[in-house]
Amino acid sequence: MLPNHHIDEDMLLAYAAGTLGEAASVLTAAHLSLCPHCRAGVAAAEAVGGALLEDIAPAPVSEINVAAFLDRMDAAEAPTSQKTARGDGLLPAPVSNYMSSDMKSLKWSFVQPGVRFAELLVDGTGARMGLMHTQPGASITPHGHSGEELTLVLSGGYSCNGQGYRRGDLQSADESTTHELTTDLDGECLSLVMIRGRIRPTRWIARILRHFTDF
Amino acid sequence: MVTLVSKVLPPGEMSALLVDIAATRDRQKFAQLFEYYAPRMKAYLMRQGTDSAGAEELAQEAMLIVWRKAESFDPAKASAATWIYTIVRNLRIDALRKMRRPEFDIDDPAFVPDPPQRPDEAMVSDQLERRVKEALRALPEEQAVVVRLSFFDDKPHGEIAAELSLPLGTVKSRLRLAMRRLQPLLGD
Ligand SMILES: [Zn+2]
C-alpha cells in the first residue's frame, strides 16, 4: 500500500536543493524509498536545479588540458564506492545505513510505559533522529513542541487526531501543534522520528519524556 | 582563460553527448562537456559561498565524477543538466557541509517501485526539463525569488525568510505554491 501522508513540498524542495539538515534528509530519503509520489516531486525539484544550472552565467575557469587531466586521474586509484548494506526489507536503506547493529542490539531507552527510543544521529543542526518503538495500544502523552517533529511509520500503525498512520506515512508537527499518538491495538509500531528543539509535555508523566530529550 | 561556451544548447544535445561519452569514453567529447558545465558548476559553487579557487577545484572534481559515473546516466530518468546538477550538489554537501547525503537506493529490498506508467504518460526527461524551464519563467516573481534563493543560497528556509524580512510561513507557502505549479508536469 502506498503512503497517504506525504512530505511537504517545501521540504522536498530543500532536499533537492541540498539545504536540508542530515536528520531531516534521512527521514526524507526513507519516505522517498517508500513513496513514488514524492519521488516524482523530488525529480521535478531536481529538474529545477538542472534548469537553474543550465541558465546560470558561467564563471570563467582556467584553461586545462582535459585529456591530460583525465589521464592523471585515471592513473590514480578510483575511489571504491561504498555499497549500501542490504536490508531486510523492513528498514529503508537510508535508515539502516545509520545502524551498526541490528535493531535488538541498539541502545534503547525507556521513554514511558510501552514506549522506547533508540537514538541514531544528532546532526549539525542539533536535530535528533532515532527509532521509536511502541507497544500495542500504548500512547505517547500529549505534548507540544518548541521545534519541528517528524514521524515516519516503518511498521504497525498509530492514530493521531482522528487520522491513521501506517507504513510510509509521515507526520509533521511544530510549535503550533499539540498531539497525542495512540498505537494501534493490533500490533507494535516502529517509527523513525526526528526532533528539533524540545518536546513540551503537557502532563507530569511526561517529565520522563523531557528527561530523555533534555539537551 | 578558455572562451566561454555561454550559449544555451538545445535540450537533449548534452544528454546525447553524455550517452555518447559513456559508450565511447571519448576524451575529446568529454572536453566539450567539460567546457560547457565546469564554468556553470563553478558559478553555482561560488553562489553558494565558495571562493573562486575552491569552486574551480570542486567543479573539476565534480566533472571527474561525471566522467567516472557516465555509464550510470539514464536519459530516461533525468536530463544531463539535472543529473550533473545532482552530482555537483552532492559533492558540495559532502565537501562543504561535511555531512552524509542520505538517498534512496532502488536495489534496497524495502524500496517501493513506481507503478507502471502508461506509454502516453511517460515524459522524456529533456521534455520535462524544457517544461520545467517554461514553468519557472511563468512563476510569479515572489515565488521565483524564493525558489532561486533555495537552490543558490546554502541556507535553510528560515534564514532566507529572515533575509527577505518575511515570516517563515510565507516563504514556505510560496515554495509550496511554486512546487505545485512544477509538479503536475510529471503527470502525477
Ligand atoms: Zn510521499
Side-chain angles (χ1 to χ4, degrees):
Chain A
M1 224 183 75
L2 297 175
N4 285 318
H5 300 275
H6 300 283
I7 299 179
D8 284 337
E9 288 95 341
D10 58 280
M11 190 162 148
L12 285 181
L13 196 110
Y15 177 77
T19 55
L20 209 54
E22 191 168 353
S25 297
V26 175
L27 235 108
T28 303
H31 177 79
L32 292 176
S33 307
L34 307 175
C35 184
H37 173 82
C38 289
R39 283 203 299 273
V42 165
E46 286 179 340
V48 172
L52 292 173
L53 182 68
E54 195 83 20
D55 284 346
I56 201 169
V61 297
S62 342
E63 192 165 356
I64 67 159
N65 181 329
V66 174
F69 168 71
L70 291 178
D71 279 337
R72 221 165 49 237
M73 290 305 170
D74 282 353
E77 195 65 27
T80 44
S81 58
Q82 49 189 88
K83 195 67 202 134
T84 49
R86 253 188 111 67
D88 54 5
L90 171 66
L91 298 177
V95 183
S96 52
N97 284 343
Y98 282 83
M99 292 167 55
S100 49
S101 63
D102 63 10
M103 281 223 286
K104 282 198 192 79
S105 348
L106 288 174
K107 224 179 113 195
W108 290 95
S109 31
F110 171 86
V111 177
Q112 58 183 79
V115 184
R116 54 201 177 119
F117 180 84
E119 187 176 283
L120 299 178
L121 169 76
V122 180
D123 75 13
T125 71
R128 304 186 143 205
M129 179 196 81
L131 291 169
M132 188 170 68
H133 183 273
T134 56
Q135 293 294 333
S139 51
I140 304 213
T141 323
H143 59 280
H145 311 88
S146 70
E148 213 182 346
E149 178 189 288
L150 297 167
T151 310
L152 174 72
V153 180
L154 296 173
S155 71
Y158 67 83
S159 61
C160 180
N161 299 333
Q163 299 257 33
Y165 294 83
R166 311 287 301 177
R167 180 168 170 85
D169 284 334
L170 190 115
Q171 188 186 20
S172 69
D174 60 21
E175 296 85 344
S176 59
T177 331
T178 299
H179 63 183
E180 175 172 18
L181 282 55
T182 307
T183 313
D184 293 350
L185 289 168
D186 59 0
E188 301 169 355
C189 177
L190 180 73
S191 45
L192 183 70
V193 182
M194 187 209 88
I195 308 154
R196 197 189 299 285
R198 280 160 185 276
I199 304 281
R200 283 195 295 259
T202 53
R203 274 201 231 138
W204 69 268
I205 188 161
R207 267 184 223 144
I208 305 160
L209 195 68
R210 180 176 300 166
H211 175 74
F212 108 90
T213 52
D214 213 1
F215 59 93
Chain B
M1 296 284 166
V2 291
T3 40
L4 294 177
V5 190
S6 57
K7 72 180 165 83
V8 172
L9 293 166
E13 194 167 315
M14 281 297 156
S15 298
L17 182 63
L18 189 48
V19 169
D20 193 357
I21 290 165
T24 61
R25 307 302 293 166
D26 185 312
R27 295 171 172 220
Q28 289 315 312
K29 284 176 181 154
F30 180 74
Q32 258 178 279
L33 196 77
F34 189 100
E35 265 177 50
Y36 187 76
Y37 281 113
R40 286 174 167 77
M41 286 178 166
K42 184 180 173 184
Y44 164 76
L45 291 162
M46 286 176 74
R47 284 285 297 271
Q48 303 272 346
T50 316
D51 64 31
S52 175
E56 191 154 323
E57 208 172 293
L58 276 179
Q60 281 188 11
E61 204 180 314
M63 286 309 298
L64 186 65
I65 298 173
V66 170
W67 172 250
R68 283 187 175 144
K69 287 194 175 168
E71 279 87 359
S72 68
F73 170 65
D74 178 356
K77 291 208 176 102
S79 69
T82 299
W83 186 72
I84 286 172
Y85 162 72
T86 62
I87 286 177
V88 68
R89 174 202 63 197
N90 288 1
L91 187 67
R92 171 183 68 75
I93 292 173
D94 188 53
L96 305 179
R97 288 173 74 96
K98 311 258 186 264
M99 62 168 248
R100 272 208 253 175
R101 167 70 181 181
E103 290 194 313
F104 62 82
D105 173 1
I106 56 166
D107 296 324
D108 175 5
F111 185 80
V112 176
D114 290 351
Q117 244 181 348
R118 289 203 315 269
D120 59 310
E121 284 177 333
M123 200 192 289
V124 185
S125 59
D126 287 309
Q127 196 184 341
L128 166 70
E129 192 187 293
R130 201 177 63 239
R131 290 177 60 178
V132 162
K133 276 186 183 171
E134 282 163 14
L136 264 178
R137 271 185 219 113
L139 281 185
E141 187 53 24
E142 58 173 34
Q143 289 173 28
V145 166
V146 289
V147 169
R148 256 184 257 121
L149 288 176
S150 293
F151 278 92
F152 287 136
D153 284 10
D154 185 12
K155 284 175 190 149
H157 294 153
E159 282 177 40
I160 291 174
E163 267 171 34
L164 296 172
S165 309
L166 290 169
L168 177 57
T170 306
V171 166
K172 284 190 171 183
S173 70
R174 284 180 187 175
L175 289 171
R176 283 175 200 172
L177 289 171
M179 277 288 283
R180 277 168 209 166
R181 281 166 176 252
L182 297 160
Q183 224 171 335
L185 300 174
L186 284 151
D188 197 15

